[in-house]
C-alpha cells in the first residue's frame, strides 16, 4: 500500500530502492530504456538478452553508473528452462525478484495467408509462452513474500488489430487477456499485473518501415510524433512502484492518443 503523511503521498512511494527486477529483451529498444529507468529509481536489475551480449553489458555498465546493481543474463524466454534460470539468476543474486517486465518481442509483417505455421509459432512462443514461462518462474517467490509487480509490454495492435500483422496482433491481444486474468488470480497476494500498450515507438522494430511509412504513422498519431522508448519506460516505472499498488488488470496506452 502507498504510504501517506499529512495528506501527501510520501516521496519514497515512487522510489524502487531495495527492489529487484528482471527485464526481458533489455539489451536494446524499449527494454533497455525500462531497465535503465528502473535502475535510476534504485532497483537492482537483471538485463536479459537473447543474442546481444555486448549491448546488454553496456546497459549493465550504465545502470551501475546510475548507482544500481545489475547483471546481464542470456536467455531465450520461449524456452522454459532458460526462463527459469533467468529469474533464478536475480533471486540468487539479491534473494528475491519483486518486478518482472515481460518485454521481449519480435515483429512479423505479412498477410495472414502468407504467414507460415513456423512464423506463427515463433511469435506465440516469444510473446505468449515467454511471458508465461517468466511469470510462472517469478510468481512463487512473489506469492511467498506477498509482493510483486508483473508488467507486460503489449501493443496498440493487440487492442485494435493491424492488417498485415494478424499474428502479432493476436499474440499481443493474448498477452492482454493473460494480464487481466492473472491480475484477478493473484491480486489478494499483493501482486499487481498490468500491461502497457505502446503505439509506434522508434526502435529497431520499425526497421522494416520506410521513412514515408513512419511519417504517415506520426501524422496519424494525435500528438504528431512517434514515441520514444522512454515514453514507455516512465509508465512501467510507475506501475512497478509502491505508488502504483492499486492499479491492476489494466492496459495503459503509451500511444500518443492513437486509441
Ligand atoms: P526491439 O528493439 O526489436 O527489441 C526487442 C528485444 O526483444 C531485443 O532485445 C531482443 O533480443 C529481445 N528478444 C526477442 N526475442 C527474444 C527471446 N526469444 N528471448 C529473449 N529476448 C528476446 O523491439 P522494441 O521495439 O524495443 O520492442 C520491445 C517490446 O515492445 C516488444 O514486445 C514489442 O512487441 C513491443 N512493442 C513495440 C512497439 C514499437 O513500435 N517499437 C510497439 C508496441 C509494442 P535480441 O537483441 O537478442 O534480438
Amino acid at each position: 500500500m502507498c504510504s501517506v503523511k499529512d495528506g501527501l503521498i510520501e516521496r519514497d512511494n515512487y522510489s524502487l530502492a531495495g527492489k529487484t527486477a528482471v527485464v526481458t529483451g533489455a539489451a536494446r529498444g524499449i527494454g533497455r530504456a525500462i531497465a535503465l529507468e528502473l535502475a535510476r529509481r534504485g532497483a537492482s536489475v537483471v538485463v536479459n538478452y537473447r543474442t546481444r551480449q555486448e549491448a546488454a553489458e553496456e546497459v549493465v555498465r550504465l545502470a551501475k553508473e546510475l548507482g544500481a546493481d545489475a547483471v546481464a543474463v542470456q536467455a531465450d524466454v520461449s524456452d522454459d528452462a532458460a526462463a527459469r534460470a533467468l529469474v533464478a539468476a536475480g533471486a540468487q543474486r539479491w534473494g528475491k525478484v519483486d518486478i518482472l517486465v515481460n518485454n521481449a518481442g519480435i515483429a512479423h509483417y505479412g498477410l495472414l495467408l502468407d504467414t507460415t505455421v513456423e512464423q506463427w509459432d515463433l511469435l506465440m512462443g516469444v510473446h505468449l509462452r515467454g511471458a508465461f514461462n517468466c511469470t510462472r518462474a517469478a510468481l512463487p517467490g512473489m506469492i511467498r513474500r506477498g509482493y510483486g509487480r508483473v508488467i507486460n509490454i503489449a501493443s496498440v495492435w493487440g487492442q485494435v488489430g493491424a492488417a498485415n500483422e494478424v499474428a502479432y496482433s493476436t499474440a499481443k491481444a493474448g498477452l492482454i487477456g493473460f494480464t487481466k486474468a492473472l491480475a484477478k488470480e493473484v491480486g489478494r497476494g499483493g501482486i499487481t499485473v498490468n500491461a502497457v500498450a505502446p503505439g509506434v515507438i522508434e526502435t529497431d522494430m520499425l526497421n522494416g518501415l520506410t521513412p514515408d511509412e513512419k511519417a504517415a504513422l506520426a501524422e496519424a498519431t494525435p500528438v504528431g510524433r512517434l514515441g520514444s522508448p522512454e515514453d514507455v519506460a516512465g509508465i512501467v516505472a510507475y506501475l512497478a512502484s509502491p505508488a502504483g499498488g492499486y492499479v491492476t488488470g489494466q492496459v495503459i496506452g503509451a500511444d500518443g492518443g492513437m486509441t
Side-chain angles (χ1 to χ4, degrees):
M1 208 193 311
C2 184
S3 55
V4 176
K5 195 177 170 202
D6 300 330
L8 294 173
I9 297 171
E10 289 194 276
R11 191 188 293 260
D12 64 1
N13 283 277
Y14 296 97
S15 161
L16 298 177
K19 299 283 188 277
T20 64
V22 172
V23 183
T24 68
R28 60 193 170 112
I30 294 171
R32 178 184 194 275
I34 292 169
L36 291 176
E37 183 58 18
L38 299 185
R40 194 176 70 79
R41 297 192 190 208
S44 303
V45 186
V46 175
V47 176
N48 161 244
Y49 66 96
R50 182 187 49 169
T51 56
R52 293 164 203 245
Q53 183 174 5
E54 249 179 59
E57 295 293 356
E58 173 66 4
V59 178
V60 167
R61 191 186 67 71
L62 292 170
K64 288 186 172 171
E65 262 183 31
L66 293 166
D69 192 17
V71 62
V73 178
Q74 195 282 334
D76 176 338
V77 295
S78 65
D79 176 322
D80 184 40
R84 283 182 185 282
L86 170 66
V87 172
Q92 273 156 20
R93 193 173 173 102
W94 301 302
K96 59 182 184 144
V97 171
D98 301 302
I99 302 159
L100 170 66
V101 184
N102 288 309
N103 164 79
I106 50 173
H108 172 71
Y109 304 102
L111 295 171
L112 181 74
L113 289 180
D114 294 332
T115 302
T116 64
V117 171
E118 291 73 23
Q119 287 166 335
W120 180 272
D121 286 348
L122 185 66
L123 250 89
M124 301 307 152
V126 179
H127 293 279
L128 287 180
R129 189 151 22 89
F132 168 69
N133 287 342
C134 293
T135 306
R136 220 166 42 137
L139 266 182
M142 292 178 176
I143 292 168
R144 266 198 310 279
R145 290 186 305 281
Y147 184 92
R149 298 281 190 266
V150 179
I151 300 151
N152 301 315
I153 306 303
S155 164
V156 73
W157 303 140
Q159 296 175 292
V160 303
N164 271 315
E165 293 191 67
V166 173
Y168 182 82
S169 302
T170 303
K172 292 305 196 183
L175 196 54
I176 288 171
F178 176 87
T179 302
K180 292 183 177 183
L182 185 62
K184 291 185 173 170
E185 202 164 289
V186 298
R188 285 171 196 274
I191 300 162
T192 66
V193 188
N194 290 289
V196 177
V200 187
I201 310 294
E202 285 268 28
T203 70
D204 294 346
M205 200 165 265
L206 303 195
N207 287 349
L209 302 179
T210 65
D212 282 353
E213 285 169 331
K214 282 197 206 180
L217 284 165
E219 187 57 36
T221 304
V223 300
R225 65 170 176 89
L226 301 184
S228 70
E230 292 73 21
D231 285 328
V232 181
I235 297 172
V236 173
Y238 166 71
L239 291 171
S241 73
Y246 204 56
V247 181
T248 195
Q250 302 302 306
V251 184
I252 314 287
D255 64 7
M258 280 177 89
T259 54

